Amino acid sequence: GENVEQHPSTLSVQEGDSAVIKCTYSDSASNYFPWYKQELGKRPQLIIDIRSNVGEKKDQRIAVTLNKTAKHFSLHITETQPEDSAVYFCAASKGGSYIPTFGRGTSLIVHP
Amino acid sequence: DAGVTQSPTHLIKTRGQQVTLRCSPKSGHDTVSWYQQALGQGPQFIFQYYEEEERQRGNFPDRFSGHQFPNYSSELNVNALLLGDSALYLCASSFGGRLEQYFGPGTRLTVT
């Protein structure tokens, strides 16, 4: 089955800095890669996703890049703000299954 | 437009007991997936229901069972509870074969 590795497990940055979270996947058939943000005690919320026919996608301060050859994808957050502090999960799934395999999460702490 | 809802919010049970958790999908969604999220981990897929049938199943024992009703709402049943079943149980809904899933707030189950 699919295996998703996520790094780092904890990321501490100063407000205004950029943050990068990286994930690798094992199944070359995976073609959908969502990112979720989970604040303490709350539900995971889909913040951005990318499909395998696209190399990069941006939405305001967040962007995701995908390297299919290397089987890795990354989340980039620019101009971080304290409200960006949360646990971020990457996931990978493939058509026909639509069941995402999640990484173990990255705790992002943005210091004011 | 109501999002995904789950009940109850919290639940405390004793080892060996049985529990039923409930989920109502986002309006317009017909597919419900259940996940178990242990503390500090990413969500782990339990199973998915579509058209009142279990369409996909993850690596969980038969003690975990479910049901989907004609109005697309769903139940997760866990029999013979173990201490290790203590976790946040998340429900996510989607429409048909679409990849985007939206999570509910979860039910925190504690087994003592």
Side-chain angles (χ1 to χ4, degrees):
Chain A
E2 174 67 276
N3 182 49
V4 177
E5 299 285 339
Q6 183 172 349
H7 299 280
S9 57
T10 305
L11 180 58
S12 183
V13 300
Q14 290 296 127
E15 183 177 0
D17 287 350
S18 294
V20 180
I21 302 170
K22 300 180 179 181
C23 289
T24 60
Y25 61 98
S26 60
D27 189 344
S28 57
S30 289
N31 58 6
Y32 176 65
F33 307 92
W35 286 88
Y36 292 88
K37 174 183 180 182
Q38 188 174 28
E39 297 177 63
L40 192 62
K42 297 192 176 181
R43 73 187 76 191
Q45 288 194 300
L46 178 67
I47 57 171
I48 196 168
D49 57 13
I50 192 168
R51 284 165 170 75
S52 60
N53 59 345
V54 176
E56 183 176 4
K57 184 176 178 180
K58 290 183 180 180
D59 184 3
Q60 299 183 348
R61 295 186 298 109
I62 60 173
V64 57
T65 58
L66 172 65
N67 183 327
K68 288 188 294 181
T69 303
K71 290 190 283 188
H72 68 69
F73 56 112
S74 301
L75 177 71
H76 304 253
I77 306 174
T78 59
E79 300 173 17
T80 54
Q81 301 167 3
E83 50 265 40
D84 294 330
S85 297
V87 178
Y88 290 80
F89 292 97
C90 64
S93 66
K94 55 187 177 183
S97 169
Y98 308 118
I99 305 304
T101 299
F102 285 81
R104 296 186 65 166
T106 296
S107 176
L108 174 64
I109 303 165
V110 181
H111 299 280
Chain B
D1 179 21
V4 182
T5 60
Q6 291 186 244
S7 63
T9 305
H10 296 89
L11 205 51
I12 300 175
K13 290 286 189 178
T14 304
R15 275 179 299 175
Q17 286 188 316
Q18 178 265 345
V19 68
T20 297
L21 310 181
R22 296 176 176 83
C23 171
S24 290
K26 181 178 170 66
S27 178
H29 286 185
D30 58 6
T31 304
V32 173
S33 301
W34 286 93
Y35 295 84
Q36 180 193 69
Q37 186 177 24
L39 203 59
Q41 305 289 322
Q44 297 240 321
F45 172 72
I46 303 175
F47 42 55
Q48 182 183 81
Y49 276 85
Y50 173 69
E51 292 188 340
E52 302 180 51
E53 291 193 358
E54 185 182 288
R55 183 161 73 171
Q56 299 269 356
R57 188 178 183 92
N59 189 25
F60 278 79
D62 292 344
R63 298 187 297 110
F64 290 77
S65 62
H67 188 78
Q68 185 178 35
F69 298 94
N71 66 353
Y72 307 121
S73 66
S74 177
E75 288 182 349
L76 164 66
N77 301 292
V78 187
N79 295 322
L81 284 167
L82 304 174
L83 294 178
D85 294 332
S86 295
L88 179 67
Y89 287 84
L90 294 162
C91 162
S93 74
S94 58
F95 174 69
R98 299 193 67 173
L99 295 166
E100 298 87 351
Q101 296 189 74
Y102 295 87
F103 283 88
T107 293
R108 173 72 62 186
L109 173 65
T110 302
V111 182
T112 61

